[in-house]
Amino acid sequence: MSLHSTNGLVHSADATAPSSFPVATILLVEDEPVTRTSMAARLTRLGHRVLEAGNGREALEVAGRERPDLIIVDWMMPEMDGPTFCETVRRDPAMKSIYVLLMTSHDQPAQIAEGLARGADDFLSKAASKQEMTARVLAGLRTGRLVRELEMTGAQLESSLVLLQTKQTEMEADLQSAATFVHSLLPQPGSPAPGLSLAWEYQPALTLGGDLFNVAAIDADHLGLYIFDASGHGVAAALRSASLMTFLRVDNILREIGSYDPEKVLREANRQFPLSAEGEYFTLWVGQIHLPTNRLSYASAGHQGVLLSPNERPSRWLTRPSSPLGFDQEAVFVSDQITLQPADRLFLLSDGIYEAASPTGEPWGCWRFQQAVEAQQHEALATTIAHCFTEARRWQAQREFLDDAAVVGLELSV
Amino acid sequence: MEITQRVSKDAIVLDVNGDLTYSNRAAFKTAVEQVKSRNCQHLIVNLEQVRFVDSSGLGLLVLLSQSFKLSQAQFSLLKPQSYVREIMSLANIPKMIPIYETEGDALTARAA
Amino acid sequence: MESLAVFVLSEALDLADGDQELFLTLANLFMQESPKELAAARSALARQDARGLAEAAHKLKGSVLPICAPRLFERAQRLELLGRQGEFAEAASVCADVESCLAEVHAALRNVIAGGFPS
């Protein structure tokens, strides 16, 4: 508000306030009746609603009841003086932010300092011109309004925060139950088929992971196995993953395709899971073991693949370059076959484990994983997997993985 | 990650410095949108200073290649480091996106 | 000191924002209240109560401001100061000044109340 319009207010003989300025309630505390009457008349003329009190106690009662926008209080009063009144107001949570003008004939710096220290916001000389008084009152009202707005915003922020925390708790509970469901779909460690043992370790970055795997019997002669990595992170990726996992369920694949032939599974998955608008996709490795012959056929859609670690011989990756799901509708996926030997180990792993980055940003890498596995050939399968996690954690120098980390081990009995 | 944009003959080159990963995807998308808004006919993403591309980064490159294909414009990659090249090869990227060793090759390929 | 005016009607009216009715209200209030403060000052002086004297003089001084009576204001201010300092001997003489000044102001106000405002 400009000084010009402030002057306009002063000259307004109308007791109603101009519409641009809401009516403010001002409490005037002054024991001397002539001065009080004179000032009350002037404030009323400015368009304010004026409450009067002849002493500090009366004023506290009125202020508590009416919550004025501004209090003008005389310094020198019997019983309770102005500074004591200010202190009392500042101690009351409901009144502490009311703007208080201390009225005085004192203008020595020491007294002004005392008044400020005891809670006054500004000073008003009893001999002040009407222009000065108007300006100080308007400034006080403006400041008071800002303070109230800030307090209101603060209160709103606080209640929004509470709401947000409640929502977050709800969402975490939802995620947790989704995670429980997804994890119930993960295979039981132990023996998925005669002559085979299974162990795995899984550290999802969220409670709900995006990189998932399974090992499940297809029929009496076949065991199916897969692992996939979801690009992207977070809840959206995890939900897409749950949907791919549902697609890959044995009963669904047999219904839709008729067999768990890896290249056919990939072809159909490639059709059903296109690149998302955000550029998110899956890499998938699918294998099928013919149990009577230990013949493994497998195919990969852009997945790093599976490490075959034969007993006493170097390990090698079972993969070939291929398009991840959804990159290319015309993509061709080709199955490869090998015959597994007794004591062979297969390791299915997610990118979260080999991309675990050192503090300088270097990924742990597939070849270090390979080294860790080979060094552990004579340890129990679960021990070897635990060792890989230990090494990856040591490499990244922290316990939590930034992406889902999974290592699944399958071992043929001797 | 730092991305600088420059014009090289008929192409716009994005020199990327840093990792092309999930956490940097917003910056990369912004830079690409700017190029697209200039109705660019050939975009070359220079990966010489990129040490690491994760699966999200790869997804962005493929998305970009598909969108350039749709608008019949050219999209090329330049000088990926060996680790990045390995990741891209595994995902068959070289079959979808032309990869060049020199800027000159990339520019000539477009002209041809 | 004698050069200070007893009462300046134009300034007093100006202080009341030109509101004659308000001024008359203030004048009546002053005529009703000021004798009480004078009596309080006298009684404090009689029992050598420095603080009581200063407070009564302060209140009187305050009530003079809206009325615009410079000579009375100056005397009341002096009396307040002497009260604060406990200078009772000089205070007695100044208190007498205050009383005569107050009488002059009352007379002037009565004139205005009775005779109305000069046009």
Side-chain angles (χ1 to χ4, degrees):
Chain A
M1 181 173 285
S2 70
L3 191 63
H4 177 76
S5 55
T6 306
N7 286 339
L9 271 178
V10 174
H11 295 301
S12 159
D14 193 345
T16 57
S19 58
S20 64
F21 206 85
V23 177
T25 299
I26 298 176
L27 171 60
L28 180 62
V29 194
E30 163 68 89
D31 61 318
E32 197 285 297
V34 183
T35 307
R36 191 174 69 232
T37 308
S38 158
M39 290 198 66
R42 184 175 276 177
L43 292 168
T44 304
R45 203 183 296 277
L46 286 175
H48 305 298
R49 171 174 171 251
V50 182
L51 309 168
E52 296 177 42
N55 62 62
R57 311 229 168 267
E58 191 188 329
L60 284 176
E61 191 202 308
V62 175
R65 193 178 61 231
E66 300 273 345
R67 301 286 161 79
D69 302 296
L70 178 85
I71 301 176
I72 301 176
V73 59
D74 188 23
W75 183 301
M76 260 188 83
M77 291 187 297
E79 288 180 62
M80 179 185 279
D81 65 7
T84 309
F85 175 85
C86 290
E87 283 173 342
T88 314
V89 165
R90 293 296 174 240
R91 276 197 301 269
D92 185 323
M95 294 194 286
K96 68 175 182 348
S97 53
I98 298 179
Y99 197 89
V100 181
L101 266 175
L102 193 55
M103 200 163 42
T104 173
S105 38
H106 313 262
D107 53 1
Q108 283 94 347
Q111 280 167 325
I112 289 183
E114 184 195 346
L116 288 174
R118 294 178 67 183
D121 290 301
D122 196 7
F123 295 85
L124 184 63
S125 165
K126 281 188 183 176
S129 68
K130 63 187 169 193
Q131 283 82 2
E132 185 187 344
M133 178 175 143
T134 307
R136 284 194 192 274
V137 166
L138 288 181
L141 287 172
R142 201 155 40 226
T143 309
R145 243 193 315 276
L146 282 174
V147 168
R148 266 193 306 283
E149 276 167 22
L150 280 175
E151 282 179 343
M152 208 114 81
T153 311
Q156 279 167 355
L157 274 177
E158 206 162 302
S159 69
S160 306
L161 200 64
V162 169
L163 197 70
L164 210 65
Q165 279 164 346
T166 315
K167 286 273 171 222
Q168 174 139 9
T169 311
E170 282 173 14
M171 211 165 92
E172 273 165 13
D174 285 352
L175 278 176
Q176 193 54 56
S177 70
T180 307
F181 170 71
V182 167
H183 293 172
S184 76
L185 301 177
L186 296 177
Q188 286 288 322
S191 181
L196 282 172
S197 53
L198 171 71
W200 53 265
E201 204 165 320
Y202 182 43
Q203 291 289 321
L206 263 176
T207 41
L208 185 56
D211 298 349
L212 295 165
F213 54 88
N214 211 346
V215 176
I218 297 162
D219 54 42
D221 289 342
H222 293 91
L223 187 74
L225 53 156
Y226 69 77
I227 184 161
F228 63 78
D229 286 342
S231 78
H233 299 262
V235 177
L239 292 178
R240 277 167 51 85
S241 294
S243 142
L244 178 56
M245 196 179 201
T246 309
F247 168 80
L248 289 169
R249 286 173 68 128
V250 171
D251 52 349
N252 184 63
I253 291 294
L254 293 182
R255 190 171 52 243
E256 288 201 26
I257 306 170
S259 84
Y260 221 91
D261 181 350
E263 59 181 57
K264 287 183 183 160
V265 173
L266 292 184
R267 196 182 310 141
E268 186 57 24
N270 185 49
R271 207 179 60 75
Q272 293 196 19
F273 293 86
L275 190 65
S276 81
E278 290 293 300
E280 287 171 351
Y281 61 93
F282 297 101
T283 61
L284 171 63
W285 186 99
V286 177
Q288 180 177 227
I289 300 174
H290 181 239
L291 295 167
T293 59
N294 282 341
R295 189 89 179 140
L296 166 70
S297 59
Y298 63 90
S300 170
H303 198 276
Q304 167 62 33
V306 166
L307 187 71
L308 171 65
S309 174
N311 197 11
E312 310 293 351
R313 278 179 293 136
S315 57
R316 65 183 179 96
W317 294 97
L318 303 182
T319 191
R320 62 160 77 201
S322 49
S323 289
L325 297 186
F327 272 25
D328 177 5
Q329 286 304 296
E330 311 302 319
V332 176
F333 302 96
V334 180
S335 290
D336 289 295
Q337 280 85 28
I338 55 160
T339 302
L340 299 172
Q341 303 301 320
D344 274 2
R345 286 175 167 185
L346 286 176
F347 291 95
L348 288 66
L349 67 162
S350 75
D351 56 1
I353 190 117
Y354 60 81
E355 284 181 357
S358 74
T360 58
E362 190 186 344
W364 191 41
C366 291
W367 66 274
R368 285 194 188 86
F369 174 84
Q370 207 167 344
Q371 279 185 332
V373 162
E374 286 182 2
Q376 291 270 315
Q377 256 176 355
H378 301 290
E379 300 294 332
L381 187 60
T383 310
T384 305
I385 293 170
H387 175 70
C388 293
F389 272 85
T390 307
E391 288 299 300
R393 285 194 172 108
R394 197 204 309 277
W395 180 261
Q396 67 176 3
Q398 64 178 39
R399 189 177 161 73
E400 301 301 326
F401 289 88
L402 294 180
D403 192 6
D404 298 340
V407 176
V408 184
L410 195 64
E411 185 178 86
L412 274 71
S413 52
V414 182
Chain B
M1 183 171 64
E2 262 179 53
I3 302 173
T4 41
Q5 180 188 320
R6 61 186 166 84
V7 175
S8 179
K9 292 195 179 159
D10 299 332
I12 292 177
V13 181
L14 288 181
D15 294 306
V16 182
N17 193 338
D19 294 348
L20 185 52
T21 57
Y22 181 76
S23 45
N24 291 332
R25 68 195 186 289
F28 184 71
K29 277 186 188 169
T30 309
V32 165
E33 285 311 315
Q34 274 175 6
V35 171
K36 277 189 181 170
S37 69
R38 291 176 59 176
N39 195 24
C40 165
Q41 284 308 298
H42 187 188
L43 170 63
I44 301 172
V45 174
N46 180 6
L47 298 173
E48 193 174 6
Q49 300 301 321
V50 174
R51 193 169 52 158
F52 181 59
V53 176
D54 72 356
S55 53
S56 280
L58 224 50
L60 287 180
L61 292 177
V62 173
L63 202 62
L64 205 53
S65 126
Q66 292 184 348
S67 115
F68 269 73
K69 217 165 270 175
L70 273 180
S71 58
Q72 306 206 311
Q74 171 86 22
F75 174 62
S76 314
L77 296 175
L78 192 60
K79 288 184 267 190
Q81 294 182 15
S82 60
Y83 186 80
V84 172
R85 181 182 292 274
E86 220 174 278
I87 292 171
M88 295 204 296
S89 297
L90 184 70
N92 250 354
I93 299 291
K95 289 199 176 160
M96 309 180 67
I97 309 172
I99 301 176
Y100 299 99
E101 278 317 299
T102 70
E103 202 171 307
D105 286 354
L107 292 167
T108 324
R110 167 67 183 170
Chain C
M1 192 256 291
E2 289 304 317
S3 62
L4 288 173
V6 172
F7 167 61
V8 189
L9 177 60
S10 60
E11 275 184 33
L13 258 181
D14 199 36
L15 279 182
D17 297 335
D19 185 339
Q20 298 183 350
E21 203 173 321
L22 172 63
F23 175 75
L24 292 180
T25 307
L26 294 177
N28 277 312
L29 204 52
F30 178 79
M31 302 217 337
Q32 180 189 313
E33 295 294 321
S34 52
K36 295 182 198 167
E37 301 312 329
L38 181 64
R42 282 215 163 287
S43 123
L45 193 59
R47 55 174 199 276
Q48 305 248 307
D49 171 6
R51 188 188 160 134
L53 176 59
E55 281 179 3
H58 175 81
K59 201 166 171 183
L60 179 63
K61 182 190 78 178
S63 72
V64 175
L65 263 179
I67 299 301
C68 204
R71 191 187 297 177
L72 176 57
F73 183 84
E74 191 278 336
R75 289 287 85 188
Q77 194 170 33
R78 179 75 188 149
L79 186 59
E80 183 186 350
L81 182 68
L82 293 171
R84 248 176 250 296
Q85 292 166 343
E87 298 277 356
F88 296 111
E90 196 188 337
S93 126
V94 172
C95 192
D97 286 351
V98 165
E99 189 168 0
S100 63
C101 282
L102 185 61
E104 288 172 343
V105 173
H106 275 226
L109 290 178
R110 263 195 300 275
N111 271 344
V112 176
I113 293 166
F117 295 90
S119 52

